[in-house]
Amino acid sequence: MQIHALDKAQLITDIQLGGNLNHAVYQGRRSDFALMLALLSGDATETTPLNPPYPEKITEAQLRKAFDLPEPTRLVAEERDYELCGSQADAFHKAGLASAKLNDCVSPSALHFPAIGTHNLGEDVYHNLSGHQRRQLDSENGKTAALDPVNLYNQLVTAKRFNEMHIQA
């Protein structure tokens, strides 16, 4: 009867023995120590964790697919968003607010529509500039694109000389 009880209550780790294993070593009871070691399971799969310690990282695309989520809303408008907003405004004027909301849910537009042609300035700032300052912005953007790659070395040397003259003066 006791043999079957010992067979069912097999020890997996030494933590289950508590302090008894340590006391047997400290007090020199070799027979108790040997018995407790024999009762421990010799199967390595019982003491070794089979799950990886670090789970695989799940990407946002995998989560979107698993939960059947749509693509995220674009933050900055593209060329197609202007046409899309035009069609939404048309739907509002023809069929009302419910149609415009439905149209926006089916094909959402971007959240921000930056001003075009303001040289990365706010629209209110750009319109407060004088005409001369606006022309100056246009000419500065043209200069950066019109670099001559053939004479680039000569242009750099000339710019360096002018810089040296201004530093000494």
Side-chain angles (χ1 to χ4, degrees):
M1 205 58 137
Q2 283 184 324
I3 295 173
H4 295 295
L6 285 177
D7 193 24
K8 290 180 183 175
Q10 191 173 14
L11 298 172
I12 305 294
T13 63
D14 58 335
I15 296 172
Q16 292 171 317
L17 293 173
N20 294 332
L21 192 62
N22 292 338
H23 291 297
V25 170
Y26 183 73
Q27 294 170 357
R29 297 179 298 170
R30 290 178 175 235
S31 60
D32 290 341
F33 180 75
L35 176 66
M36 286 185 237
L37 284 183
L39 287 174
L40 288 175
S41 174
D43 189 5
T45 60
E46 290 179 345
T47 58
T48 306
L50 298 177
N51 297 334
Y54 302 106
E56 296 179 15
K57 291 186 178 181
I58 299 174
T59 62
E60 184 179 347
Q62 291 171 336
L63 287 174
R64 285 190 178 282
K65 184 177 180 184
F67 293 113
D68 195 28
L69 295 174
E71 290 299 318
T73 305
R74 290 178 311 285
L75 297 178
V76 179
E78 297 171 357
E79 199 61 38
R80 61 186 169 141
D81 288 314
Y82 290 97
E83 296 171 10
L84 183 64
C85 285
S87 67
Q88 288 176 358
D90 187 48
F92 171 75
H93 288 295
K94 288 182 179 175
L97 185 60
S99 176
K101 283 185 179 181
L102 178 64
N103 197 348
D104 184 53
C105 290
V106 171
S107 54
S109 62
L111 298 177
H112 175 64
F113 288 83
I116 297 173
T118 59
H119 304 286
N120 295 326
L121 296 173
E123 194 170 1
D124 54 343
V125 173
Y126 183 76
H127 289 299
N128 280 331
L129 295 176
S130 67
H132 174 70
Q133 290 170 327
R134 290 181 195 170
R135 282 191 304 274
Q136 190 176 7
L137 280 174
D138 289 335
S139 65
E140 285 176 1
N141 288 343
K143 286 181 184 175
T144 57
L147 289 176
D148 186 12
V150 176
N151 296 322
L152 180 61
Y153 179 75
N154 292 334
Q155 292 172 355
L156 290 174
V157 170
T158 305
K160 181 181 175 191
R161 297 289 183 237
F162 278 119
N163 190 21
E164 289 172 355
M165 287 174 30
H166 286 290
I167 290 175
Q168 291 175 358

